[in-house]
Structure formats: structure tokens, C-alpha cells
Amino acid sequence: ISLPEHLEGDRALTHRQPEARIAEFRVDVDWLRGATKKQISICAAHEVLHILLAQLYWLADKSNIMSEEQLAAIEHDIVRSLEKII
């Protein structure tokens, strides 16, 4: 987890390197200042789901079956579906 910083248009970002087993979670400082504990928890859970899918994303990206944009959209759809059932 890195210190809060200014992110352009995002509350939080996750950067992953599954082959190195590294994940970095960044939070926008302005959003964080006004967020409730519940909002922070929901945001953190969302980013953790992205981390859990990192290895699958990495393998799919290496296969070149679809574009990185298509893969990112599908991953986000999976994260949103998981949020609904958790």
C-alpha cells in the first residue's frame, strides 16, 4: 500500500505483477479525506478482487486472444459481479 496521492479520475488503482507476486494499491488523497469507513472498505474490497484476478489476467494477456482494453473490461465486469455476491 502506498501513501495517498492525487489520481486523475480514479478513487484507487491497483498495479499488479503476478509473476513477481507484487501488488500495489494506490488511493486518491482527496477522495480518501472525505470518504467514510464503509466507502473505504468497499473500495479496498474492490481493489482486492482485482488483485485476486491478477494471475488470470496476466495469463490471458500473454495469450493475445483479445486486446488489453477488452481484457480489462471483462475483468472489471467479473469484479462487479463478485461484489454483488459477496
Side-chain angles (χ1 to χ4, degrees):
I1 298 176
S2 64
L3 294 175
E5 58 186 85
H6 294 285
L7 303 175
E8 294 296 323
D10 292 305
R11 292 180 191 170
L13 294 173
T14 302
H15 297 281
R16 309 156 297 188
Q17 295 178 5
E19 66 281 8
R21 302 220 181 264
I22 296 172
E24 181 181 17
F25 178 72
R26 296 180 179 193
V27 179
D28 181 74
V29 66
D30 294 325
W31 177 79
L32 190 58
R33 284 185 185 128
T36 65
K37 286 182 181 182
K38 183 173 182 172
Q39 289 171 318
I40 293 168
S41 180
I42 290 169
C43 180
H46 179 93
E47 297 306 321
V48 166
L49 290 172
H50 281 292
I51 291 169
L52 290 173
L53 292 171
Q55 190 170 18
L56 182 61
Y57 183 98
W58 180 73
L59 290 171
D61 188 43
K62 294 288 182 198
S63 71
N64 292 319
I65 294 173
M66 62 187 73
S67 72
E68 189 172 337
E69 292 80 18
Q70 290 171 314
L71 185 55
I74 290 169
E75 179 194 16
H76 216 86
D77 287 344
I78 293 169
V79 167
R80 283 192 224 111
S81 295
L82 290 170
E83 286 175 322
K84 290 176 184 176
I85 61 173
I86 293 178

